[in-house]
Amino acid sequence: MKKTFSDEDLIKNLSLYYLNRHLKKKPIEKYHRTIDQSPLHDREKYKKKTEILLLNSFMHHFPEIKFEDLTCESPDFIAKFDNKKIGIELTEVINHLEMKKIESSLNKIFRQAEILLEQEDTTRFRGVYFLEFHSDVRADTLENQQEIILNIYKSIKRGKAYGCVKSLRKSFHRRNVFITHEYNMNLFDELCSEKIVELIEKKNEKFPYYDTSVDECWLVIVSDMNSIASRYTFIQDKEHLHHVKSPFHKIFHIENLCGNITSIK
């Protein structure tokens, strides 16, 4: 069976997070190795590795926490904390649903452009490239996608924006070519507290099916700030979160860029 994700893809995924100075590298590397040694399918390994990366900021707030089971399902992880067995259920809150599909298409386009550049000269082009596109860019057809790939390719070769690429910024990377979105903060990019409440209510329904051997079960809601579909600047009507009712022993919302955490319960 052909691998859904190559080892190189997983290395690239981890390498991007290495750029974040908050990354707890040694625990992450250890947890990734443990996941690699498990009997999970490659797709599930990739999913688990991505999830543990999203919990990086969470680990800074709870440095004593030790993960014991990284491959369980309900909840996502089992950890040891304060002499208790803790189940951790992880979920991501999507702030811009309309951007999720677009971002997925762009990530596939980025990968194709990376392959072109690495096939030509990995040593010359290695680095992390942060791209911003003009607002009229559309990736809904194969023809448009090929044009975007070519524009990205030419922009990186020339070292300046070309075609649909509005801006280009390069950061050091010692191995490969990695292309991602430029991080631009919108000062008025709000995350509605109702989206968080809706997520909690959905997870509440599944709570009876979680592992009953744990002493406590925590719900960790993450805003993946490296994703354009998940970014936000502030939580609207944050006070609504104080009235949430849930069987989870603790509920947190965390963003993985600066590590800001909100204790909901």
Side-chain angles (χ1 to χ4, degrees):
M1 181 181 293
K2 184 179 179 180
K3 288 187 176 183
T4 307
F5 301 100
S6 69
D7 292 338
E8 183 184 8
D9 289 329
L10 299 177
I11 291 170
K12 285 174 177 247
N13 187 288
L14 180 59
S15 294
L16 178 60
Y17 281 81
Y18 274 8
L19 297 176
N20 185 330
R21 66 181 182 276
H22 302 296
L23 185 64
K24 294 171 77 72
K25 295 181 183 179
K26 289 184 179 178
I28 291 291
E29 290 174 339
K30 180 183 72 174
Y31 293 144
H32 274 207
R33 284 196 298 270
T34 301
I35 293 169
D36 271 333
Q37 293 165 4
S38 75
L40 291 177
H41 185 274
D42 285 334
R43 178 182 290 275
E44 287 302 312
K45 287 180 181 179
Y46 183 86
K47 180 174 179 287
K48 282 291 183 179
K49 286 184 176 185
T50 303
E51 286 175 343
I52 202 72
L53 283 168
L54 287 177
L55 281 174
N56 176 63
S57 295
F58 176 78
M59 286 185 266
H60 277 274
H61 290 278
F62 296 92
E64 299 87 5
I65 204 162
K66 303 295 181 186
F67 287 88
E68 295 187 337
D69 190 344
L70 299 164
T71 60
C72 51
E73 291 185 9
S74 299
D76 295 312
F77 303 100
I78 302 294
K80 201 77 174 179
F81 177 73
D82 198 20
N83 293 322
K84 292 181 180 179
K85 187 178 180 182
I86 307 294
I88 296 177
E89 178 67 10
L90 176 70
T91 187
E92 181 184 352
V93 58
I94 304 300
N95 196 27
H96 308 285
L97 288 174
E98 69 282 0
M99 289 300 299
K100 191 67 176 177
K101 188 175 181 181
I102 297 173
E103 184 170 22
S104 178
S105 296
L106 284 176
N107 285 334
K108 292 176 182 177
I109 287 170
F110 290 161
R111 185 65 188 122
Q112 291 304 309
E114 290 167 0
I115 290 171
L116 282 178
L117 291 160
E118 288 177 346
Q119 286 177 342
E120 182 170 329
D121 192 341
T122 301
T123 303
R124 177 185 171 191
F125 298 116
R126 66 168 56 123
V128 180
Y129 297 88
F130 299 87
L131 304 183
E132 184 181 359
F133 296 92
H134 292 291
S135 58
D136 58 349
V137 171
R138 295 182 60 182
D140 52 354
T141 68
L142 183 60
E143 184 179 353
N144 289 344
Q145 291 171 4
Q146 292 303 316
E147 182 182 357
I148 295 171
I149 292 170
L150 187 59
N151 286 176
I152 294 172
Y153 171 78
K154 288 183 177 179
S155 294
I156 291 176
K157 281 199 70 173
R158 298 177 181 185
K160 60 181 181 180
Y162 172 85
C164 65
V165 179
K166 183 179 179 181
S167 68
L168 169 70
R169 178 170 64 90
K170 181 180 179 181
S171 180
F172 172 76
H173 190 283
R174 64 186 177 87
R175 284 191 178 181
N176 301 101
V177 179
F178 197 107
I179 304 170
T180 188
H181 308 277
E182 177 62 276
Y183 186 87
N184 287 320
M185 221 21 160
N186 183 336
L187 294 177
F188 303 101
D189 195 3
E190 61 191 28
L191 169 59
C192 180
S193 59
E194 282 303 311
K195 291 183 179 179
I196 297 177
V197 173
E198 287 173 8
L199 268 182
I200 294 172
E201 290 174 347
K202 287 181 181 177
K203 290 296 180 179
N204 286 348
E205 295 174 2
K206 298 180 180 180
F207 187 86
Y209 305 103
Y210 292 147
D211 189 340
T212 55
S213 70
V214 298
D215 298 310
E216 294 183 4
C217 196
W218 297 1
L219 176 61
V220 180
I221 301 168
V222 178
S223 286
D224 181 6
M225 302 294 275
N226 293 298
S227 164
I228 58 177
S230 192
R231 293 176 192 166
Y232 75 100
T233 310
F234 65 96
I235 300 175
Q236 182 189 40
D237 300 323
K238 197 172 182 178
E239 62 276 6
H240 291 171
L241 300 176
H242 301 312
H243 306 292
V244 168
K245 293 183 179 180
S246 175
F248 286 95
H249 296 79
K250 292 183 184 295
I251 303 176
F252 302 98
H253 172 264
I254 195 163
E255 57 94 342
N256 66 336
L257 192 67
C258 297
N260 295 325
I261 190 169
T262 300
S263 179
I264 299 173
K265 181 182 177 183

